[in-house]
Amino acid sequence: QKEVEQNSGPLSVPEGAIASLNCTYSDRGSQSFFWYRQYSGKSPELIMFIYSNGDKEDGRFTAQLNKASQYVSLLIRDSQPSDSATYLCAVNRGNRDDKIIFGKGTRLHILP
Amino acid sequence: NAGVTQTPKFRILKIGQSMTLQCTQDMNHNYMYWYRQDPGMGLKLIYYSVGAGITDKGEVPNGYNVSRSTTEDFPLRLELAAPSQTSVYFCASSYSSGSGNTIYFGEGSWLTVV
């Protein structure tokens, strides 16, 4: 089982709708979880991080974490064409294991 | 504020050649990372460092070497380049690896081995 798994997509969502991106991880000891956005030919940029169970909201973005199910998701409300990108989930184990492991990303396409 | 600077941006290598990808950061970050990204794929960790003089292997270290003699610099050495090393390489840094500590990425280095 891969450490961090994401559906590669593409995920097509109409403009104005909610985009839902999912990520599962294999290491139950993982402590910190990140969502990065990457436009084609560019470097990744951080959208959000979460480390406690539940929801964390920042503008149009909401990260959801369920450690019991080893599942983290990103919701994008009122999707805009500029949200079209690849979204990378990343996980850090903590406990002096300082590696940050990325999933292969989900391509999101917002339909105008 | 330069952030994380990688050089070169583009390079073509012949099979068996060696080269060093340079990475420097001016944010006084302790942690530095090298990732590679193959087309349509996510980032794979090659090596990382938690401070000067300390390096450790990531997911795909074979064929690469690193050093961290200063806080600022974290060069990645490719020995005996192979076509399988054709990829985009990203250097990154962060204050720590924990929650809320953003990883800052360089702009990437596109490497082709022919």
Side-chain angles (χ1 to χ4, degrees):
Chain A
Q1 182 184 6
K2 294 182 180 177
E3 290 195 53
V4 181
E5 295 208 58
Q6 297 180 253
N7 188 321
S8 60
L11 174 66
S12 295
V13 173
E15 183 175 357
I18 296 174
S20 177
L21 303 161
N22 304 316
C23 173
T24 58
Y25 58 95
S26 61
D27 189 338
R28 191 169 286 277
S30 299
Q31 297 190 355
S32 304
F33 308 87
F34 307 83
W35 282 101
Y36 281 80
R37 178 176 61 200
Q38 186 178 28
Y39 293 113
S40 181
K42 301 295 185 181
S43 55
E45 55 182 338
L46 181 70
I47 299 174
M48 293 188 69
F49 69 90
I50 187 169
Y51 55 88
S52 298
N53 273 330
D55 295 358
K56 179 180 179 181
E57 186 174 319
D58 184 359
R60 295 187 296 112
F61 299 95
T62 299
Q64 299 176 318
L65 175 61
N66 183 325
K67 289 187 177 180
S69 300
Q70 296 174 238
Y71 177 94
V72 58
S73 65
L74 179 70
L75 301 178
I76 307 174
R77 290 181 300 280
D78 188 23
S79 297
Q80 303 296 310
S82 60
D83 294 326
S84 295
T86 296
Y87 289 80
L88 301 167
C89 174
V91 174
N92 168 243
R93 294 194 189 101
N95 290 329
R96 295 182 295 175
D97 182 342
D98 299 300
K99 291 186 287 190
I100 298 177
I101 304 299
F102 283 78
K104 65 179 181 180
T106 298
R107 282 186 297 132
L108 175 65
H109 184 201
I110 305 302
L111 304 169
Chain B
N1 187 1
V4 179
T5 303
Q6 293 179 234
T7 57
K9 192 169 180 66
F10 300 97
R11 182 73 186 268
I12 298 175
L13 271 183
K14 293 184 178 179
I15 294 172
Q17 286 185 322
S18 300
M19 75 161 296
T20 299
L21 296 175
Q22 301 291 345
C23 177
T24 187
Q25 51 94 6
D26 62 0
M27 297 173 282
N28 202 32
H29 284 166
N30 295 319
Y31 289 63
M32 295 189 75
Y33 316 84
W34 274 106
Y35 290 92
R36 61 176 285 175
Q37 186 174 36
D38 298 330
M41 302 297 287
L43 300 167
K44 291 290 187 182
L45 182 64
I46 305 171
Y47 272 95
Y48 67 105
S49 169
V50 302
I54 305 170
T55 62
D56 210 343
K57 295 178 180 179
E59 301 170 274
V60 290
N62 291 342
Y64 306 94
N65 279 299
V66 294
S67 60
R68 185 94 182 271
S69 58
T70 67
T71 299
E72 295 78 19
D73 300 309
F74 191 42
L76 177 71
R77 177 82 176 163
L78 281 72
E79 304 282 2
L80 299 175
S84 61
Q85 293 178 302
T86 294
S87 192
V88 182
Y89 292 83
F90 288 101
C91 180
S93 73
S94 65
Y95 180 70
S96 77
S97 62
S99 301
N101 285 285
T102 302
I103 303 174
Y104 295 85
F105 285 88
E107 294 187 339
S109 296
W110 274 254
L111 176 66
T112 301
V113 182
V114 296

